[in-house]
Amino acid sequence: MFALFLVALFALAAIAALGVLADSGLRWWSAFGQLRREIRHEGLYAALPALRSPVVSGGCTGLGRPSLRPFPVISVSRAA
């Protein structure tokens, strides 16, 4: 009886895993299909900048420690 329970549990887990993989595969297929349509319709260089903004010169290389504040802090003291 316990073996039947384990087989059923394994079968349900396998079905759930296949469902998740199928959903992910369909999402990737759809995304690449949309990218192919955009490239075919507008040309390669017109579609690619929409994917990710370019890195400005002097930007973070990813190797250094990022600044905690991207802007300067201006403190203002008022007399009481």
Side-chain angles (χ1 to χ4, degrees), residues 15-74:
I15 290 171
L18 286 174
V20 169
L21 288 174
D23 181 56
S24 297
L26 288 175
R27 288 176 191 263
W28 277 96
W29 185 270
S30 174
F32 280 115
Q34 182 178 356
L35 180 62
R36 282 192 301 267
R37 282 190 302 273
E38 288 178 2
I39 289 174
R40 189 178 329 125
H41 182 262
E42 299 176 5
L44 177 64
Y45 296 107
L48 290 180
L51 297 177
R52 180 179 289 180
S53 62
V55 176
V56 295
S57 63
C60 180
T61 61
L63 300 175
R65 182 175 177 182
S67 174
L68 295 177
R69 293 190 178 110
F71 51 89
V73 177
I74 300 172

